[in-house]
Amino acid sequence: MPQLLGCQSFGLKIFSFKEYPTVQGKKQCQEWDRYVKMSIIEDAPSIPDCAKGDSQRFPPLVSALKTSAGEAAASFHFPGHNRGHASPSSLTHLIGMRPFLHDLPELPELDNLFSPEGAILQAQKEAAELFGASETWFLVGGSTCGIQAAIMATCSPGETLILPRNCHISAISAMVLSGALPKYVYPEYDSNWDIAGGITLSQVKCALQELEVEGRKAAVVLVVSPTYHGICSNLKEISMFCHSHNIPVIVDEAHGAHLGFHPQLPSSAINQGADLVVQSTHKVLCSLTQSSMLHMSGNLVVREKICRCLQTLQSSSPSYLLLASLDAARYQLSENREQVFDREINLALEAKSIISRIPGVSVFEYPMFSDFPVIDPLRLTIGTWKLGISGFEADDILYKEYGVIPELVGTRSITLAFTLGTQKEHVRTLVAGLKHLSSTSTPARGTFESNDSKHIAPLDDVCISLSPREAFFASKQKVDIESSLGKVCGELICPYPPGIPVLIPGETITERAIDYLLQLRSNGAIISGAADNSLSSLVVCDV
């Protein structure tokens, strides 16, 4: 059997279906195995983060997967494509054979996600060491799974969770699963940008005082930091205060797996004292989409509860491609942790400087929110309302005419994510597109002037009639949108991205929320969760 050398085993070959040998009989099966294994070596590109040294020390889980995929095995196990022998031709035309060769199940040498003793355990330990956690769990259900597990492990039915009202929908589904009751904190809101900030220590203190008056206690506090726009809360002071009251802190750090790995980046949540931190390793870092990590620190959370919740929530057939990508992303970061983001930060700062000088284009700065002086420099939000166009219109023009695709589109802005994969030519194209918008804009239209009286914050007048769990299981009916005012919402409705709900099951439907949703829809936003995509009707609870 050919030896799979160094980084070559990461290569990807795009095959033509006509190249595949027909697999009939032992001889042809052997030819197939030889053909596939040789193809791994022939067209493999070099990989920057493991291109030096001898035969390389691969990350533990990557190494185990590499070895297992290279075996000349007579496989009588799942998945059904059997190491690529029956891979769908339409998909191999797209991604080649290599993903199928490494799409393996829970073989003994690959360890078990729910009771790791080998490669997975070692990979998770090395991740915990890198990120400063006492323990780390790999997630194949995205940060959604991590948030759900964190809340379920810290909140029993009927207990109260303090969280920002602009939380991700995963926190809402976690309350449905756990039976926890929400105590919302309403973040500061900037109507010019249509952007909400983080939460402050004073807001957490106020929420605890209000709960005390109501005869309730908080089981846990959830903070979203950084937000989708890169706004970071002061987690250190929130954590210290909560710990003085024996309350653990969960941080939704989905957008901040890179924090703390450069002097110009904000400090990470773990380094600021958070107890449970969920990170989307696939966002700024380089694991595969849907792969995330859950980190734990301190002793306020029982680790066995985390394990039980993850076993309940995660697939019993986890993808080893996703798991190995987490191991590889960790290894890539650890190889050059002091300088790994130098180029990206310089690129982002250069782009910000150039874009801020384009007439009519605004750049989001931290002074917009005085209580949040730290913004992730790799997240750049560009205002378009002074050009007389919405973020949706700007996005449409930039994509169709320049091929520029932002990470997030809002009513009055677009948000760009700078990652390890961002290229200088991407920035040049972006700048050219924004200059085109500036030169062709017609601000006199005034549709998106900052004093637009119809531009409203939808999240500061919420009235909760039922808990999310009660509303989820309540009987429901559909009514026209005019008749829904004052009724209890029965569906979770939110623009996506960013996945921040405007209406949550159990909340009273307000005119402000409806106006905001209709405004978003008319501007081109995708509204998810509503049974009626046109929003001419809403689902309400029978109460």
Side-chain angles (χ1 to χ4, degrees), residues 370-383:
S370 56
D371 291 326
F372 306 98
V374 180
I375 292 182
D376 178 6
L378 294 181
R379 202 59 55 94
L380 184 58
T381 297
I382 298 169

Side-chain angles (χ1 to χ4, degrees), residues 187-191 193-198 227 229 231 364-375:
E188 186 179 346
Y189 176 79
D190 190 301
S191 60
W193 288 88
D194 190 18
I195 288 177
T227 67
H229 298 92
I231 302 167
F364 187 77
E365 301 274 8
Y366 69 81
M368 307 297 177
F369 291 101
S370 56
D371 291 326
F372 306 98
V374 180
I375 292 182

Side-chain angles (χ1 to χ4, degrees), residues 379-390:
R379 202 59 55 94
L380 184 58
T381 297
I382 298 169
T384 61
W385 75 89
K386 292 181 181 179
L387 297 174
I389 58 176
S390 69

Side-chain angles (χ1 to χ4, degrees), residues 527-539:
I527 309 296
S528 69
D532 180 358
N533 292 331
S534 70
L535 292 183
S536 59
S537 63
L538 294 177
V539 173

Side-chain angles (χ1 to χ4, degrees), residues 114 137 139 145 149 294 306-314:
F114 300 116
W137 291 268
L139 308 175
C145 170
L294 170 59
I306 295 289
C307 295
R308 287 196 293 270
C309 291
L310 288 175
Q311 188 171 22
T312 300
L313 295 165
Q314 297 220 81

Side-chain angles (χ1 to χ4, degrees), residues 229-251:
H229 298 92
I231 302 167
C232 298
S233 297
N234 190 330
L235 299 174
K236 184 175 182 179
E237 63 178 16
I238 292 175
S239 296
M240 289 179 63
F241 173 78
C242 289
H243 291 167
S244 70
H245 289 73
N246 207 38
I247 299 172
V249 175
I250 300 170
V251 177

